[in-house]
Amino acid sequence: MKRSSWTDYQKEIADDNYYYARSCIRQNFFPGSEKVFLDIVGRDLGRNIFDDPKHTSCTGIGYHSDVVPLETIMTVVARQFALMSEAGYENFTSSCITSFGIYTELLATWEEFPEMEERTREYLYKATGREFTKPKNLAHTSDVIFHHREEIARKAKRKLINTYTGEPLKVVEHIGCHYAKIFPKKGVGGSEFPYVLAGMVESWGGEIVDYPERRHCCGFGFRNYLVQANRGYSITNSHKKLESMAPYKPDFIVCNCPGCSMFLDKWQYTIAEMEGTTYGQNGAGIPVLTYEEMAGLVLGYDPWELGMQMHQVDVEPLLDKMGVEYDPTAKYLGKNGRFLGRPQKALVNSCIEEAIYKTSNRR
Amino acid sequence: MKHVIVIGGGVAGMQCASELLRQNIAVTIVEKQQCIGGKIRNWHKLFPSFTPADEVLAAMQQKLTTHNNLTIRTGCEATCITPQKVTLSSGEELRCDATVIATGFTLFDATVKEEYGYGIYDNVITSAELEQMFNEKNVHLKQGGEPKRIAILHCVGSRDEKVCQRHCSKVCCVTGVKQAIELKKMFPTADVFNFYMDMRMFGPGYEEMYREAQTSHNIHFVRGRISEVSPTFNNRLQIKAEDTLTGRPLKMGVDMLVLLVGMKANAHNTTLAKDCNLTLQPSGFMQPKDSFLGNVASNVEGVFYAGAITAPKNIGESINEGTAAARGVVEWLEKR
Amino acid sequence: MINFGFSINRARTIDLDRNNLRKSNEIIGEMPELQACIGCGSCTASCTAGNLTEFNFRKVHTLVRRGEYQGAYEEMNKCMLCGKCRLVCPRGINTRGIVMLIKRKLGDF
Amino acid sequence: MTFFTKFCIPFIVGATVMFTVLAIKYIAWLRNLPKSDWRLIAKNFFSLRTVTALWEVVSESLLHRRIFKVNPALGYMHMSLAFGWFLLIAVGWAETVAYLGMRWVPLQGHVFFKYFAALNNISAHNPTFDFVMDLLLLFVLSGVGMAWLKRVRSRILGMRKTTKHVAFDRIALSALWFVFPMRFIAESVTAALYGGGGFLTSGMGAILNKIASNDVLHHIYEPAWWLYSLALGVFFVAMPFSRYMHIFTEIPLIFLRHYQLRPEAMEKSYDNFEVEACSRCGICIDPCQLQSQLGINDVQSVYFLRDRRYNMLQQKIANNCLMCGRCEQICPVGINLNTLRLNSRSSMRNIPHEGRYNYLRDIDKSSGEGKVGYFAGCMTLLTPNTMSSMHNIFQAAGEDVWWADRDGGVCCGRPLMLSGEMDSAQKMIDYNKALFTKHQIKSLVTSCPICLKVFREQYNINDIEVLHHSEYILRLIQQGRLKVGHTKDATFTYHDPCELGRGCGIYDEPRAVIKAVGELLEPAHTGKNAFCCGSSVANTAISDAQQLSIAVKVAAELEDTGAQTIVTACPLCKKAISRGAQRKVVDLSEIVAQSIK
């Protein structure tokens, strides 16, 4: 296979001075990821990034579930932009794929229908007394990591390599529908052969798995999950994806979108409970990482600092493969060293408590 | 002696030239490629009779070789065309009494339909490449070996607004059926699937060939456009489509995917239209003066069209238009 | 196993790699004319049984050709063999023969 | 007196085997007859039917009257073999009686009388018997000669095609062909050595005496009788397993048939008599349009019965029949070929399926009423001209009509029956019967002969009179309720639909109706001999192109009459013939509706 088409889909990504917008799902389910992103950009890469406490949810989940009207979300988005300008930034970066999709969509809408932008300005002013400027550069946070991937590679403490065999780790990447399927030109590599995560994986020594359902939705699908009666549809789609990738025996899945990380991870547990099927090389599930976690591991962060104990599928087998040093007993310790309790044992997080992790026999 | 410049040395241009020569008119053929013949040169056999393309080409060339009043200028393009003068890309100007534009079409670039994986996966090929393989008598998979299952996708770059090709390229359906039969004859145990949106068997013998493909060659026809192509674990191509006649999604692994690339208007047409005051259709093909009474005339007196310059056409129609254009030129010259 | 109140749906996709096409090939082999169907729907439009039920001859035989046999025998059993479809088929397919053949191949006689 | 010598053994063994097998077969078949059939036999045994049956045995089994009707040469051939041989046996018996008086003589004594006469030194010859026996032998030999000829060139005997035979048939046939020539030779040699014999054997004996020495004749004397006995023995052994089983089977069949036994929708023991009474004469081959028009050579009734008898019947053979009834109509043995084929199909395909057509339960949303119910039939829905014509006719006659299936109904069940699925067909029959009962109609008119046949034969709706529209229209005209104008220069020809003519015996009514509106010109094949249109629902094997090919031929013959319009009385025939015709093809109702005054 000749993967060259991604070069047709290049986008401009700001190099420094980012205004950071958090993600609802990520900060709740993968809080370590957002923390480590700020650390990587601010500390490791020495770039300026502003985490503004004033910003809110973009209301994208509500929008895609038909409970937030277009005018409302436009005004909310306008307020985020206003906050950005007020803080003196021009480069907007959002942690959430859906937010990124929303921002892209609304900027495009305003481009096509200037009268809607005018109306939004009016609403925003009436509601908050603020005025906004559109960002000069809009990027998803994965774009930012992608932009700096070579620098990260230079600073890497570990590579995406199986230390038992010396082979590159096999990675399934999933970019999330709202990243590039709506506006392919706004995503690195477009939607057919997206490159934003693949670029990171390749730069850091891993190997991308191209499997038939690569472009398929993770199964979240907003109202298909949110309405309980529709959840069968949601899990069926995740099931389809997992079935399709399983023969390739991937070492882990890396996701762009917080929702996708959550569903590909947690539905593995549900599928195991519903029909007894488990995926992964030892039947203990395929670990699902956010790209921030992947970058963090490469840069030598402690997995528990990255929040990887929050995952449904145990990550220890992957950590062992990568040769990550970690304290198994510290997995469920809180910030102050207090034991937080452990989740109940289930098919996909069955890693033995006292951990007979294979730390020897490494090359 | 009158002198007419025919731009484009494909079947339409060649036929037009030979008709004009018969009327004692001197002709210059301006051809972009290094030799005349046009796209038929790379074609293997022509539907629906499976006539070797060589035979048709040789017969047409035969008509031209005997004439002294013919000049062939290969390797050059016409940049400006008026009834009295044709400017070549080299800057050279040729004087004449009338011009015929027979520059045909451009094959659709299949890489634009990225989801079909052309240029990405090894065994995704275009219909034109398949003809080339037929010509070389060497149809095989990139990794070697014979295909066991082949999919042929119709309407690649036709009837697709996503790639700004609204029009139907007219000949691909028939070509798809023809190539399916040829493949089946070559690999009798292979399964051949045609994915179509509509089967437009407009010409004589076409429908019969279609039926023949279905019942005598057991070629499968699935009504539905392939949506995406992905590699599979065992190095095949997985294609997805909707089998619209059952209303169910369909997927399967194939060894080879043939894309029936459509006819695109030459990019050159736009500048030609602007520089020479010719009218363009929304499709990018040139607009003939009238769809019924002026098929081969342009909106500029003394500039004529022949062949696929005005719309997708098959070989027979293009040849006929060559004749019609020559007739139009003669009438126009007599009138002047 | 835990009941979460929802289930994993069976894929609706026709998977030609998984479907066993042996019977389909036998059916087409015995009556190749079935392949001549152009999906015009005349058969179903004129169908006596289709007037009373959801029976769709065209759809069922198309599914059978794709190796989707489940329920096809039961569907074909709705046919009354009246033969109107054969009279209207523009491709001259021996539709009644096809019904009987599919039933023979998928049923027990 | 001795009536045994070694060469008799083949004959005795053969005869014993034959009679044993025959006895086993007949006893088994009779034992398995259903009670209802036995009751029929008991009821009719002591009646005139036995006498008429006896007469039919003579006229058919011996004289082959019906074959004579088909073709005199063929009739003569069959008669010479059957009747000739019978007379040889009967007169031969009389001959022994004449020579020896009324005394018991073993079977071989009668058969090889000429040999034993010489052996026992009965020297007095009876020239009358000698002459008669030789004449009879010549009679039979002429038949054998014709049979040989028929094998080589069947057309000489008026048959385009003759039967292709199986191994047993070939053995029996070869043996049979040898029996009479061998008898001729053996008796001639006897006559040469010991005198006697009539004009044939003594004549041949004289020639033999001239060309061969006494010594040689003595040498071939015993072998000749051996060969004769062997031929008989082989024939007898092969006979119950070959087509010659018909020789005896036809006799009980004729009796049983006279006692009103008939094959039915399901196979039963009586069928054995019909199946094995088939002599494979092959007369059914020629009228078969699948043969004459399409060149299909292995599906005709003779092959169907053969395959069924030897348990090698395949669906593709059983299904490939138009069931037009042209062969049944001509069959010299009078076998119910259509019914047998139907019940074979039924055995192969009838899978009782409780849940099938359950959807018929709650679909009845019919409304309206009327004394006369009109059931157009599925096919008629595709010939709306027939429906509107019927509408006009009903209106003109002031009839009070309830339309049973104007907006689509349930099939009558006949097509399913024809494919052998009797149990499923019954569900349709039950549905429609309930529908007719619900609407309290007094008579039921249909435009479709396919429906008509099943309404009449399977529906058991005795309180409702079932009429084909041709019968109904004729009745309206005769009653004066419908006034039609007669146009002299309107010429029509009429195609008899199979299900209407041969199927229901309705030939005259449509013709009477046509004559009421114009002139009727008959095609070459008409009435009982009318062709099938080729699109019969009974056939699920032939292709569309094959159907068309038959239709073109049929249409051409109809057009040859010179009539302006082709009339038929079946929607399927109309559709089929229209495809092959240049001239207008209409339903009977259409010409009537156009002529209403």
Side-chain angles (χ1 to χ4, degrees):
Chain A
M1 190 182 79
K2 297 149 265 184
R3 196 212 319 271
S4 56
S5 70
W6 74 273
T7 47
D8 297 343
Y9 296 93
Q10 296 281 14
K11 66 187 270 191
E12 205 175 306
I13 302 163
D15 190 59
D16 201 352
N17 298 318
Y18 308 103
Y19 181 85
Y20 184 57
R22 284 180 180 255
S23 147
C24 304
I25 292 181
R26 204 184 307 274
Q27 65 186 309
N28 278 297
F29 291 93
F30 308 98
S33 291
E34 295 204 334
K35 161 83 168 55
V36 84
F37 175 78
L38 291 169
D39 287 349
I40 290 172
V41 176
R43 215 169 54 206
D44 296 302
L45 301 171
R47 297 306 201 273
N48 176 25
I49 184 160
F50 180 51
D51 179 23
D52 187 355
K54 285 190 227 156
H55 83 284
T56 64
S57 163
C58 72
T59 68
I61 294 177
Y63 175 64
H64 284 297
S65 308
D66 288 346
V67 292
V68 171
L70 182 62
E71 288 78 6
T72 310
I73 195 167
M74 281 188 174
T75 315
V76 172
V77 166
R79 179 176 171 274
Q80 316 279 60
F81 290 158
L83 291 173
M84 175 190 73
S85 334
E86 285 165 23
Y89 287 85
E90 301 183 302
N91 303 326
F92 198 96
T93 180
S94 81
S95 166
C96 174
I97 286 295
T98 292
S99 298
F100 174 73
I102 294 282
Y103 296 129
T104 316
E105 179 183 336
L106 296 188
L107 288 173
T109 309
W110 292 340
E111 194 72 37
E112 293 282 334
F113 306 99
E115 71 280 7
M116 292 189 92
E117 184 181 339
E118 277 318 303
R119 231 172 332 157
T120 309
R121 286 187 186 282
E122 198 185 313
Y123 294 150
L124 181 68
Y125 190 79
K126 275 187 187 160
T128 66
R130 288 188 152 94
E131 288 180 54
F132 74 93
T133 356
K134 287 187 274 186
K136 204 172 101 193
N137 182 275
L138 175 69
H140 183 245
T141 46
S142 65
D143 293 336
V144 174
I145 300 277
F146 175 82
H147 181 73
H148 297 294
R149 68 191 188 283
E150 295 305 335
E151 195 175 338
I152 292 173
R154 281 194 294 278
K155 296 183 173 162
K157 300 268 189 331
R158 304 183 195 97
K159 294 210 134 197
L160 299 177
I161 280 172
N162 185 332
T163 48
Y164 297 125
T165 63
E167 298 283 321
L169 289 174
K170 282 193 268 182
V171 187
V172 158
E173 57 85 66
H174 180 78
I175 57 151
C177 300
H178 294 169
Y179 176 69
K181 279 190 195 161
I182 312 175
F183 295 94
K185 297 270 182 204
K186 301 289 182 192
V188 177
S191 64
E192 296 296 335
F193 297 95
Y195 196 61
V196 60
L197 299 178
M200 296 180 206
V201 171
E202 283 176 3
S203 294
W204 303 338
E207 184 186 295
I208 283 291
V209 171
D210 199 352
Y211 65 106
E213 298 298 349
R214 183 175 174 185
R215 291 146 204 91
H216 201 79
C217 169
C218 70
F220 178 16
F222 294 86
R223 77 207 96 163
N224 291 310
Y225 172 76
L226 298 171
V227 178
Q228 201 200 350
N230 291 349
R231 275 182 201 167
Y233 188 66
S234 169
I235 197 168
T236 300
N237 282 286
S238 309
H239 182 255
K240 184 176 185 177
K241 249 185 116 65
L242 289 162
E243 285 287 328
S244 171
M245 70 176 76
Y248 296 82
K249 298 188 170 44
D251 293 298
F252 69 94
I253 301 167
V254 61
C255 290
N256 209 15
C257 169
C260 305
S261 317
M262 178 175 156
F263 282 90
L264 287 176
D265 188 27
K266 299 203 188 308
W267 276 147
Q268 286 194 54
Y269 157 76
T270 317
I271 290 168
E273 290 292 2
M274 283 170 80
E275 57 172 36
T277 313
T278 51
Y279 301 95
Q281 288 158 11
N282 47 10
I286 307 170
V288 183
L289 271 59
T290 65
Y291 57 90
E292 293 105 322
E293 288 168 347
M294 178 170 76
L297 287 178
V298 166
L299 286 167
Y301 283 75
D302 181 80
W304 310 144
E305 194 189 322
L306 291 169
M308 292 177 84
Q309 62 274 58
M310 300 287 283
H311 290 203
Q312 189 78 47
V313 177
D314 278 331
V315 292
E316 282 89 338
L318 172 68
L319 299 177
D320 293 341
K321 268 187 238 168
M322 282 181 71
V324 176
E325 307 279 338
Y326 61 94
D327 179 3
T329 54
K331 185 171 180 183
Y332 296 111
L333 295 185
K335 212 171 175 189
N336 49 14
R338 210 170 46 137
F339 182 59
L340 298 171
R342 67 165 51 249
Q344 226 176 22
K345 248 170 74 169
L347 283 165
V348 291
N349 54 347
S350 56
C351 281
I352 311 121
E353 291 101 284
E354 268 57 68
I356 313 162
Y357 300 133
K358 300 184 195 90
T359 40
S360 53
N361 300 332
R362 280 202 193 111
R363 257 193 222 162
Chain B
M1 190 180 230
K2 300 280 187 197
H3 176 222
V4 174
I5 298 179
V6 177
I7 300 135
V11 285
M14 287 161 78
Q15 176 69 14
C16 184
S18 74
E19 285 298 314
L20 289 170
L21 290 165
R22 258 162 37 96
Q23 308 277 337
N24 251 345
I25 294 168
V27 177
T28 301
I29 296 179
V30 176
E31 169 60 47
K32 188 165 67 173
Q33 303 296 326
Q34 290 311 313
C35 60
I36 59 164
K39 296 202 175 54
I40 198 178
R41 281 196 302 133
N42 299 321
W43 227 251
H44 177 54
K45 281 179 179 171
L46 305 178
F47 59 74
S49 53
F50 294 90
T51 308
D54 297 351
E55 274 180 23
V56 176
L57 184 60
M60 300 205 68
Q61 278 171 332
Q62 180 63 34
K63 283 200 224 169
L64 292 178
T65 45
T66 48
H67 284 277
N68 302 325
N69 298 331
L70 174 68
T71 318
I72 297 175
R73 302 286 302 262
T74 57
C76 54
E77 261 181 280
T79 53
C80 190
I81 300 162
T82 65
Q84 294 79 32
K85 178 184 85 179
V86 169
T87 315
L88 301 183
S89 42
S90 56
E92 189 184 348
E93 289 187 349
L94 305 174
R95 310 294 302 179
C96 58
D97 301 294
T99 45
V100 178
I101 309 180
T103 48
F105 63 95
T106 308
L107 272 176
F108 178 77
D109 174 13
T111 54
V112 177
K113 288 301 286 182
E114 193 183 346
E115 56 266 46
Y116 301 149
Y118 178 72
I120 298 167
Y121 306 120
D122 286 338
N123 294 309
V124 181
I125 59 170
T126 65
S127 43
E129 286 166 348
L130 182 61
E131 289 293 329
Q132 198 74 41
M133 287 180 168
F134 284 143
N135 267 335
E136 291 160 7
K137 296 191 171 42
N138 190 13
V139 181
H140 62 87
L141 298 175
K142 186 78 171 219
Q143 68 272 23
E146 292 184 357
K148 292 196 173 53
R149 196 186 264 167
I150 304 161
I152 298 177
L153 174 60
H154 293 220
C155 293
V156 176
S158 304
R159 307 176 74 197
D160 186 355
E161 300 195 5
K162 285 285 180 292
V163 292
C164 307
Q165 293 280 96
R166 293 182 180 212
H167 62 273
C168 163
S169 294
K170 197 171 177 182
V171 299
C172 332
C173 286
V174 206
T175 304
V177 174
K178 184 206 74 144
Q179 292 188 337
I181 293 174
E182 287 173 306
L183 284 168
K184 192 77 183 183
K185 281 182 185 162
M186 200 169 274
F187 309 114
T189 56
D191 284 321
V192 181
F193 287 81
N194 280 52
F195 286 86
Y196 67 95
M197 296 198 290
D198 288 301
M199 291 300 287
R200 300 187 160 179
M201 297 289 130
F202 63 96
Y206 296 4
E207 181 74 11
E208 289 84 343
M209 182 172 72
Y210 175 29
R211 201 185 199 291
E212 182 86 0
Q214 291 175 312
T215 52
S216 304
H217 299 284
N218 193 20
I219 291 159
H220 306 270
F221 288 83
V222 182
R223 187 181 180 279
R225 193 178 192 128
I226 294 175
S227 65
E228 60 187 81
V229 179
S230 350
T232 67
F233 191 60
N234 50 4
N235 249 327
R236 296 178 99 195
L237 299 159
Q238 183 191 276
I239 54 175
K240 285 195 202 173
E242 187 194 348
D243 182 3
T244 60
L245 293 179
T246 62
R248 296 258 303 266
L250 177 141
K251 68 173 178 182
M252 66 166 122
V254 298
D255 300 305
M256 181 184 268
L257 173 64
V258 181
L259 306 177
L260 288 168
V261 283
M263 293 190 188
K264 204 180 159 167
N266 296 330
H268 186 52
N269 289 4
T270 322
T271 45
L272 209 60
K274 208 162 65 198
D275 298 347
C276 316
N277 279 327
L278 296 167
T279 337
L280 210 59
Q281 297 175 57
S283 61
F285 288 94
M286 306 310 287
Q287 173 77 58
K289 193 169 153 197
D290 187 273
S291 309
F292 306 101
L293 304 172
N295 268 317
V296 292
S298 77
N299 56 307
V300 175
E301 291 271 296
V303 177
F304 293 85
Y305 295 137
I309 180 71
T310 50
K313 290 187 184 79
N314 66 20
I315 298 290
E317 290 166 339
S318 297
I319 294 175
N320 287 351
E321 285 212 344
T323 313
R327 180 86 205 119
V329 169
V330 171
E331 268 176 28
W332 188 72
L333 290 176
E334 281 168 359
K335 211 164 60 186
R336 237 165 28 123
Chain C
M1 303 284 152
I2 300 172
N3 182 4
F4 291 94
F6 51 87
S7 56
I8 302 172
N9 309 345
R10 261 194 74 241
R12 285 184 72 248
T13 310
I14 299 169
D15 188 340
L16 283 181
D17 296 332
R18 274 195 198 170
N19 288 357
N20 183 345
L21 296 172
R22 186 177 61 86
K23 289 199 168 179
S24 157
N25 289 337
E26 281 175 13
I27 289 165
I28 294 170
E30 275 193 40
M31 294 184 78
E33 66 195 82
L34 179 56
Q35 286 281 65
C37 173
I38 44 174
C40 72
S42 306
C43 48
T44 308
S46 64
C47 180
T48 302
N51 195 31
L52 305 168
T53 69
E54 303 254 298
F55 174 56
N56 183 327
F57 172 65
R58 177 193 59 72
K59 197 163 160 179
V60 177
H61 80 63
T62 310
L63 283 169
V64 166
R65 282 187 287 149
R66 309 267 185 264
E68 295 280 325
Y69 311 122
Q70 205 180 6
Y73 179 82
E74 290 72 16
E75 278 301 304
M76 285 302 185
N77 251 346
K78 291 180 180 165
C79 165
M80 299 185 179
L81 281 180
C82 74
K84 276 171 84 181
C85 49
R86 189 171 184 184
L87 277 187
V88 296
C89 178
R91 283 296 187 101
I93 298 170
N94 176 0
T95 50
R96 301 173 76 241
I98 299 282
V99 171
M100 289 167 70
L101 176 64
I102 289 178
K103 282 175 61 182
R104 177 151 61 83
K105 287 286 176 191
L106 302 183
D108 40 10
F109 56 87
Chain D
M1 255 185 241
T2 47
F3 287 106
F4 181 77
T5 180
K6 274 187 193 158
F7 77 75
C8 297
I9 294 172
F11 166 78
I12 295 169
V13 170
T16 314
V17 168
M18 179 181 78
F19 284 118
T20 315
V21 174
L22 281 179
I24 293 171
K25 280 194 170 190
Y26 290 158
I27 291 169
W29 296 348
L30 287 169
R31 271 174 52 131
N32 288 328
L33 279 182
K35 280 218 177 72
S36 52
D37 281 354
W38 271 113
R39 272 196 292 275
L40 282 173
I41 295 172
K43 193 180 122 198
N44 294 315
F45 189 74
F46 297 105
S47 73
L48 206 60
R49 291 181 194 279
T50 307
V51 183
T52 50
L54 210 57
W55 165 239
E56 195 186 326
V57 168
V58 175
S59 78
E60 290 309 324
S61 300
L62 295 177
L63 302 178
H64 291 87
R65 202 173 49 97
R66 276 197 283 260
I67 304 183
F68 260 105
K69 276 198 208 159
V70 175
N71 178 315
L74 206 59
Y76 175 81
M77 185 193 99
H78 283 85
M79 184 186 75
S80 68
L81 287 168
F83 191 49
W85 198 357
F86 172 78
L87 287 178
L88 271 180
I89 294 167
V91 177
W93 181 80
E95 189 183 18
T96 42
V97 171
Y99 279 101
L100 306 172
M102 288 296 275
R103 55 171 288 186
W104 184 84
V105 173
L107 201 54
Q108 70 270 22
H110 292 287
V111 176
F112 307 119
F113 181 72
K114 285 278 181 332
Y115 179 86
F116 290 114
L119 188 71
N120 293 315
N121 293 318
I122 301 166
S123 49
H125 290 291
N126 184 330
T128 318
F129 273 111
D130 282 345
F131 173 77
V132 172
M133 287 300 275
D134 270 14
L135 190 65
L136 290 173
L137 185 61
L138 184 64
F139 182 40
V140 175
L141 282 172
S142 68
V144 172
M146 286 172 85
W148 284 355
L149 201 63
K150 175 171 159 257
R151 273 292 118 187
V152 190
R153 289 195 63 111
S154 62
R155 270 180 198 277
I156 296 175
L157 291 183
M159 285 174 82
R160 279 185 295 114
K161 283 268 171 190
T162 186
T163 324
K164 288 171 288 181
H165 287 307
V166 294
F168 264 119
D169 285 349
R170 289 181 190 283
I171 295 169
L173 184 74
S174 311
L176 183 62
W177 281 359
F178 272 100
V179 166
F180 297 99
M182 284 324 297
R183 176 177 177 152
F184 172 54
I185 289 167
E187 290 189 354
S188 299
V189 174
T190 312
L193 289 173
Y194 304 101
F199 64 95
L200 192 66
T201 45
S202 72
M204 187 65 194
I207 296 170
L208 285 174
N209 265 330
K210 268 191 196 141
I211 58 169
S213 69
N214 233 18
D215 224 21
V216 175
L217 288 178
H218 272 291
H219 267 105
I220 58 168
Y221 179 58
E222 286 279 330
W225 283 101
W226 262 101
L227 284 174
Y228 176 38
S229 167
L230 260 173
L232 278 171
V234 170
F235 176 71
F236 287 157
V237 171
M239 187 260 200
F241 307 102
S242 73
R243 67 195 192 113
Y244 297 101
M245 182 67 182
H246 81 275
I247 296 174
F248 287 106
T249 312
E250 202 181 344
I251 298 164
L253 173 68
I254 289 171
F255 281 96
L256 292 177
R257 192 190 292 135
H258 277 264
Y259 299 148
Q260 300 292 298
L261 269 64
R262 293 287 180 275
E264 289 165 23
M266 303 290 174
E267 288 185 2
K268 61 174 187 176
S269 185
Y270 170 74
D271 298 356
N272 291 311
F273 289 101
E274 293 220 336
V275 170
E276 303 213 359
C278 169
S279 65
R280 281 171 227 162
C281 62
I283 287 176
C284 53
I285 299 175
D286 278 356
C288 179
Q289 289 164 269
L290 297 182
Q291 202 291 314
S292 60
Q293 192 60 31
L294 305 178
I296 299 171
N297 281 322
D298 53 354
V299 301
Q300 283 72 22
S301 292
V302 54
Y303 302 117
F304 157 72
L305 289 175
R306 178 193 69 193
D307 290 357
R308 171 161 167 178
R309 179 175 166 192
Y310 296 126
N311 278 325
M312 52 186 208
L313 184 60
Q314 290 174 295
Q315 282 208 32
K316 63 176 181 191
I317 303 291
N319 288 341
N320 200 352
C321 172
L322 297 163
M323 292 212 189
C324 61
R326 280 166 57 82
C327 57
E328 183 172 302
Q329 196 263 130
I330 204 170
C331 173
V333 190
I335 302 172
N336 288 289
L337 297 167
N338 274 356
T339 315
L340 288 178
R341 199 182 280 258
L342 266 189
N343 66 31
S344 273
R345 288 183 182 179
S346 171
S347 301
M348 290 168 147
R349 293 188 61 92
N350 190 38
I351 305 291
H353 191 303
E354 268 313 302
R356 196 173 177 195
Y357 303 119
N358 271 354
Y359 64 79
L360 293 178
R361 262 179 211 157
D362 303 309
I363 55 157
D364 179 18
K365 294 181 182 67
S366 63
S367 61
E369 50 190 28
K371 275 208 302 243
V372 172
Y374 176 66
F375 192 92
C378 299
M379 298 292 182
T380 311
L381 297 176
L382 292 174
T383 55
N385 266 336
T386 307
M387 291 183 76
S388 58
S389 301
M390 283 310 290
H391 177 82
N392 293 343
I393 291 167
F394 285 134
Q395 215 163 31
E399 190 67 274
D400 178 20
V401 187
W402 165 69
W403 290 71
D405 59 347
R406 182 154 27 194
D407 305 314
V410 169
C411 172
C412 63
R414 176 89 177 139
L416 268 172
M417 275 180 62
L418 288 173
S419 77
E421 297 173 68
M422 191 56 216
D423 282 354
S424 298
Q426 192 60 43
K427 304 219 168 183
M428 254 144 253
I429 293 173
D430 292 343
Y431 175 87
N432 283 320
K433 262 170 82 172
L435 188 72
F436 300 151
T437 316
K438 177 181 148 192
H439 290 273
Q440 296 183 320
I441 48 171
K442 296 281 170 285
S443 49
L444 177 63
V445 177
T446 179
S447 299
C448 175
I450 305 167
C451 303
L452 179 76
K453 190 163 166 70
V454 72
F455 287 159
R456 284 201 172 159
E457 293 178 2
Q458 305 288 331
Y459 269 54
N460 294 323
I461 34 176
N462 299 326
D463 45 344
I464 302 174
E465 189 190 20
V466 178
L467 294 169
H468 184 248
H469 72 331
S470 60
E471 298 173 296
Y472 174 75
I473 292 169
L474 183 65
R475 189 180 291 180
L476 290 181
I477 295 173
Q478 284 169 345
Q479 288 173 347
R481 291 172 63 191
L482 191 68
K483 302 250 183 300
V484 289
H486 183 275
T487 317
K488 254 220 150 85
D489 27 331
T491 50
F492 302 104
T493 182
Y494 177 66
H495 167 80
D496 285 282
C498 302
E499 296 275 67
L500 192 65
R502 286 178 294 266
C504 295
I506 300 176
Y507 297 103
D508 302 333
E509 290 85 345
R511 289 181 165 77
V513 171
I514 294 172
K515 284 174 187 160
V517 298
E519 297 304 314
L520 174 66
L521 303 169
E522 292 283 359
H525 290 81
T526 188
K528 285 195 164 83
N529 290 317
F531 278 133
C532 169
C533 69
S535 287
S536 162
V537 281
N539 191 308
T540 48
I542 59 170
S543 73
D544 188 62
Q546 289 172 313
Q547 288 188 333
L548 181 60
S549 151
I550 295 177
V552 168
K553 171 84 197 299
V554 173
E557 203 186 271
L558 290 162
E559 283 170 353
D560 283 346
T561 59
Q564 297 153 346
T565 311
I566 298 167
V567 182
T568 186
C570 167
L572 192 52
C573 294
K574 182 185 167 184
K575 280 265 171 202
I577 296 170
S578 309
R579 293 181 70 190
Q582 312 293 322
R583 253 166 258 173
K584 208 172 163 194
V585 182
V586 298
D587 185 81
L588 185 70
S589 59
E590 294 176 55
I591 58 167
V592 174
Q594 280 161 8
S595 321
I596 295 175
K597 274 204 280 199

